[in-house]
Amino acid sequence: MVPPAQEEGSMRNIDPQEWEVRCDLAAAYRLIAHYGMDDLIFTHLSARLPGKEHRFLLNPFGLLFDEITASSLVTVDPEGHAIEPVDEAKINNAGFTIHSAVHMSRDDAQCVMHTHTTAGMAVAAQEQGLLPLNQMSMQFFGRLRYHDYEGIALDLDERERLVNDLGDSDVMVLKHHGLLTTGRSVGEAFYNMYYLEQACRLQVAATQGGQKVTLPSDATAEHTAGQFNRIGTIKGERPWTALRRKLDRIAPDYAS
């Protein structure tokens, strides 16, 4: 997608490759809101920008997710400083702590997403964590990681522990906090978050009536996970293309 025409002085010229990343990330913010996974102005999605400087995009603190546009996203350096900020650009320090940790330690984590949903936080408070109750949850069998709650993520020294707990996985439950996913693209990170969220919603639904639930064998769950992970291309690529088309119809200003 080509950047829109810009009035002189209103915004810096943006490289087309960066603009596409901005449009993808803005689309993800809109879709997180559309599917009810946002939390007022809190939580964050980030994407690494091309280059060796470890710069990444983050939402300006104060905008609702359905207000985010490609041009409103703030470029942040590894120290958490906004680069050429837009007017009144501010970022949430908790978002910086979590996202900078993953981006700086994982070259494959092009996008990082973090949510505070009712279902995700409910499962994050359950002792057993995510159960392999259905094939949506079984796709994460053996690769879902957990990170103990340490308070609001403001302390930079938590980054090392968070990264160690995540390891090489792309899905994690932050205990008593929420969900975190990564991806080799924005679309893959969204795919992981969408289905991790669905797995949590299904677990809450299946257990809220008090009935006893049954679990498949570990061998079956592992086999199912292997079937999901046998995909050769970046996961979620086709759904992401379809979701971008959806936004082009219902909220085309995300790409402005």
Side-chain angles (χ1 to χ4, degrees), residues 31-32 34-37 113 115 117 136-137 139-140 171 179-181 186-202 236 239-240 243:
L31 289 163
I32 288 287
H34 179 77
Y35 288 108
M37 294 187 280
M113 299 189 176
T115 61
T117 63
M136 285 188 180
S137 56
Q139 70 178 298
F140 303 116
V171 283
L179 306 178
L180 185 142
T181 65
V186 173
E188 184 172 61
F190 184 85
Y191 176 94
N192 286 331
M193 180 59 76
Y194 180 86
Y195 281 108
L196 184 57
E197 169 68 15
Q198 293 303 309
C200 289
R201 292 183 186 185
L202 287 164
W240 185 248
L243 288 166

Side-chain angles (χ1 to χ4, degrees), residues 25-242:
L25 189 60
Y29 274 102
R30 297 298 186 94
L31 289 163
I32 288 287
H34 179 77
Y35 288 108
M37 294 187 280
D38 54 340
D39 177 20
L40 298 180
I41 63 171
F42 304 100
T43 75
H44 313 274
L45 321 176
S46 62
R48 181 186 286 120
L49 286 171
K52 301 178 180 179
E53 299 87 357
H54 287 290
R55 301 173 305 142
F56 57 94
L57 296 170
L58 204 62
N59 54 316
F61 192 40
L63 291 185
L64 296 169
F65 279 22
D66 63 5
E67 297 177 310
I68 300 292
T69 63
S71 58
S72 69
L73 293 163
V74 180
T75 305
V76 179
D77 67 20
E79 285 72 46
H81 301 130
I83 301 171
E84 299 182 52
V86 296
D87 292 344
E88 301 299 323
K90 296 179 181 179
I91 62 168
N92 185 312
N93 288 338
F96 166 73
T97 300
I98 293 172
H99 291 255
S100 63
V102 181
H103 280 302
M104 290 192 297
S105 64
R106 291 271 302 272
D107 289 339
D108 62 326
Q110 295 298 315
C111 181
V112 181
M113 299 189 176
H114 170 48
T115 61
H116 296 162
T117 63
T118 300
M121 295 179 76
V123 171
Q126 294 176 352
E127 183 178 2
Q128 79 284 346
L130 186 68
L131 297 170
L133 292 172
N134 51 75
Q135 67 177 24
M136 285 188 180
S137 56
M138 278 185 256
Q139 70 178 298
F140 303 116
F141 186 81
R143 47 187 274 251
L144 182 63
R145 304 290 186 264
Y146 295 85
H147 175 65
D148 286 334
Y149 187 66
E150 300 186 23
I152 297 174
L154 297 175
D155 300 325
L156 293 181
D157 64 359
E158 185 180 352
R159 293 193 293 187
E160 182 178 354
R161 293 184 291 277
L162 187 148
V163 166
N164 286 339
D165 288 338
L166 179 62
D168 62 356
S169 180
D170 52 7
V171 283
M172 185 160 74
V173 171
L174 305 174
K175 292 184 179 179
H176 310 290
H177 189 173
L179 306 178
L180 185 142
T181 65
T182 75
R184 293 165 291 176
S185 67
V186 173
E188 184 172 61
F190 184 85
Y191 176 94
N192 286 331
M193 180 59 76
Y194 180 86
Y195 281 108
L196 184 57
E197 169 68 15
Q198 293 303 309
C200 289
R201 292 183 186 185
L202 287 164
Q203 179 161 318
V204 171
T207 57
Q208 67 182 357
Q211 296 90 349
K212 184 177 180 179
V213 297
T214 61
L215 299 178
S217 68
D218 285 355
T220 298
E222 186 175 358
H223 173 68
T224 304
Q227 290 177 311
F228 273 105
N229 295 320
R230 216 170 284 149
I231 302 171
T233 58
I234 291 181
K235 194 181 297 182
E237 190 172 6
R238 288 186 178 180
W240 185 248
T241 300

Side-chain angles (χ1 to χ4, degrees), residues 12-31:
R12 58 195 169 90
N13 291 324
I14 294 179
D15 177 82
Q17 190 176 5
E18 175 177 333
W19 184 255
E20 187 58 29
V21 176
R22 284 177 170 271
C23 287
D24 267 343
L25 189 60
Y29 274 102
R30 297 298 186 94
L31 289 163

